[in-house]
Amino acid sequence: MNKVYLAGPITGSSYEGAVDWRDNFNILLENELDNNYLDPVYSDAIQTFSPMRHKEYLLNETTIADDYPTVLSSQRGITARDRFDTLNADLVVVNLLGAERVSIGTMIEIGWADSKRIPIILIIEESGNLHDHAMVREICPFHVRSIEEAVDVTVKILLP
């Protein structure tokens, strides 16, 4: 099974804003696998990991903070699990579309992935994004403009 980590801004977002694009990615991925990879062996060939999994206790948050007094959402818990997920992924998808503030955590995750030469698909506007920087452009070899394109490239990288 191929593991994909879904990185992107969370601090300052609402719970819904932090999970919506990840849920959409999963739906599109499932549809892509069902429609184009009819062999049942491919139905579970790609598994995604969200930094928001098992954090339903943040459901009513309209502005997520960077630290909570819980095991998974303390600064130590966030860092440990996100590092583990990033470094154990076969591919990292980073969504920076519409970012309203720089996501320091996401930039660190990009660095972790690059340190192990894990391929990164970067979803970003053609211009004007706060994260548009030479090092980010260089470290992320696959640049796309939509979640749909990211799903397509994910499948093309990970499956035969």
Side-chain angles (χ1 to χ4, degrees):
M1 174 168 316
N2 296 286
K3 298 176 186 173
V4 176
Y5 181 65
L6 302 176
I10 293 174
T11 301
S13 300
S14 66
Y15 177 86
E16 183 178 310
V19 299
D20 276 359
W21 80 265
R22 292 171 171 95
D23 289 345
N24 190 31
F25 185 96
N26 285 324
I27 291 166
L28 293 168
L29 178 63
E30 184 177 321
N31 289 341
E32 176 71 17
L33 295 175
D34 287 347
N35 293 334
N36 297 312
Y37 290 84
L38 300 177
D39 187 332
V41 73
Y42 292 114
S43 64
D44 294 323
I46 300 173
Q47 182 178 16
T48 63
F49 290 86
S50 168
M52 293 300 293
R53 71 185 186 280
H54 307 299
K55 293 185 179 178
E56 291 78 15
Y57 51 84
L58 297 174
L59 185 63
N60 295 321
E61 292 293 320
T62 56
T63 306
I64 295 175
D66 68 349
D67 185 28
Y68 289 88
T70 65
V71 174
L72 288 179
S73 293
S74 67
Q75 61 188 24
R76 180 168 287 147
I78 292 167
T79 303
R81 189 172 75 164
D82 292 1
R83 182 188 299 129
F84 176 81
D85 287 348
T86 301
L87 295 176
N88 286 287
D90 298 299
L91 179 74
V92 174
V93 174
V94 176
N95 182 8
L96 298 176
L97 288 176
E100 296 179 8
R101 59 191 269 189
V102 171
S103 177
I104 296 169
T106 303
M107 295 301 98
I108 291 170
E109 291 168 337
I110 287 173
W112 287 333
D114 182 61
S115 75
K116 284 194 66 180
R117 302 303 182 256
I118 298 167
I120 303 166
I121 299 172
L122 178 63
I123 311 170
I124 192 169
E125 295 87 356
E126 190 168 333
S127 64
N129 191 288
L130 298 169
H131 299 87
D132 189 11
H133 186 275
M135 290 176 72
V136 173
R137 290 190 305 268
E138 184 66 24
I139 286 173
C140 302
F142 305 101
H143 298 194
V144 298
R145 305 287 178 240
S146 69
I147 294 169
E148 292 81 4
E149 286 181 276
V151 168
D152 181 58
V153 175
T154 296
V155 170
K156 288 177 178 173
I157 290 171
L158 295 175
L159 298 183

